[in-house]
Amino acid sequence: MKIGYSFWGFLGDGITDTPDGGRSHRRTLVNGLASRGHDLVFLQPDRDLIEAGVDLSAYYRWDAGLPDLDVLFLEWRWPIPGRNTTWCGAAGHTCDLHRQAELLSHYTEQLGVPTILWDKDRQLPHDDPLSDHPAVTLCEAALHPSPGAVSLFFPVDDQVLDTADPSALSQLDRPTTLAYVGNQYDRDDAFNEYFAPAAAEVPHVVAGKWPDTRAWPQLNFVGRVPFRRVGAIHRSSVATVLLLPERYARVGQVTQRIFEAVLAGCLPIMPADVRSADQFVPSELITADGHEVARLAQHLRGVTGTAEYAELIDACLKKLAPFRLSRQLEVIANALLRRVVSAT
């Protein structure tokens, strides 16, 4: 099928000053779709070229118009006041929302083209008419998605998982005990409860956009880092804490940070209030509060390089099975089949 894919972000490393978490898995997904014989065209601006100066036109296609499509695939964009809600040409304006509206109007509303709406950030209002539109399949990256929605996780290449070596990862030098890579957005409560008390006791680092850190003057915030440094931080850290906004935690939606960490041998500590936490990490890595995080992090520091540490990495790798690319491609194939048959 010819799939029009709409995303606001990058396929490569992009630029430092961006919150685009999709860089860890977007290219994996689109390459996987292409490997299944689908023809992909990207419908938002080529930010890799425009902003990062990286030309990927030898591998991918962009189209600013309205080409013929069999399927529309949207990474859902939502209104961000002062950014994509302003008029075109205004200072700081991004046109992702306007373009998405144009795509929905033309393909979904007028033509009834089967549309996959991937609400990766859980921003689609529950009463939005699109969730019940006959052409739309709503996907969420959650273990317990909204009624009528389909679970579509952030994908990891199967071969990357199959070739990860727990023993080798366990032997890396890890001078930092506790790390967190990610932005502040809606995470203050989880940060206060689980990370801050532990970080006060162990060597740590917090990387990402945290505009207001006045509540934690004693902690080590280093600001945003280039995308390539994310892996380096995890490879040099014993453990991380999977901090989730409440809207993620209550439906069991874990971000790409889990596999970014595990594939670097950095053990993911999971707050117990995340729904179905034991589906994502071994029970040994689930904690009830920040003091338990501190004790666990100190224990893990003491066993780095041992068989116990390697076994925990191995157990975490096995827990990543739901994120396999092959599984996500089957989810998409089933969704497309249902919609295409229905449209026919």
Side-chain angles (χ1 to χ4, degrees), residues 212-232:
D212 187 359
T213 60
R214 290 172 295 178
W216 313 286
Q218 75 281 16
L219 299 191
N220 180 29
F221 293 90
V222 298
R224 276 181 166 164
V225 297
F227 182 64
R228 287 185 179 273
R229 273 203 63 200
V230 173

Side-chain angles (χ1 to χ4, degrees), residues 84-148:
N84 59 13
T85 58
T86 54
W87 54 275
C88 297
H93 175 79
T94 62
C95 222
D96 52 302
L97 198 61
H98 292 168
R99 176 60 167 165
Q100 180 176 267
E102 178 184 35
L103 298 173
L104 284 166
S105 174
H106 178 74
Y107 293 110
T108 311
E109 300 292 349
Q110 296 178 34
L111 301 180
V113 170
T115 301
I116 292 180
L117 192 163
W118 195 13
D119 187 13
K120 299 168 70 174
D121 295 272
R122 299 191 61 77
Q123 293 287 353
L124 184 74
H126 72 278
D127 57 351
D128 193 297
L130 279 171
S131 60
D132 295 320
H133 193 285
V136 172
T137 297
L138 176 61
C139 296
E140 298 174 352
L143 190 62
H144 304 282
S146 303

Side-chain angles (χ1 to χ4, degrees), residues 170-228:
S170 72
Q171 298 302 312
L172 295 179
D173 182 36
R174 301 182 184 274
T176 303
T177 300
L178 198 62
Y180 182 74
V181 181
N183 298 320
Q184 189 166 8
Y185 310 136
D186 303 320
R187 287 175 169 82
D188 283 21
D189 290 344
F191 191 85
N192 267 326
E193 178 69 19
Y194 292 98
F195 192 92
E201 300 183 33
V202 299
H204 67 278
V205 64
V206 180
K209 184 180 179 181
W210 287 73
D212 187 359
T213 60
R214 290 172 295 178
W216 313 286
Q218 75 281 16
L219 299 191
N220 180 29
F221 293 90
V222 298
R224 276 181 166 164
V225 297
F227 182 64
R228 287 185 179 273

Side-chain angles (χ1 to χ4, degrees), residues 43 48 97 173 299:
L43 302 174
D48 286 278
L97 198 61
D173 182 36
H299 170 74

Side-chain angles (χ1 to χ4, degrees), residues 229-243:
R229 273 203 63 200
V230 173
I233 290 172
H234 286 136
R235 284 191 296 274
S236 64
S237 301
V238 174
T240 186
V241 184
L242 299 175
L243 303 176

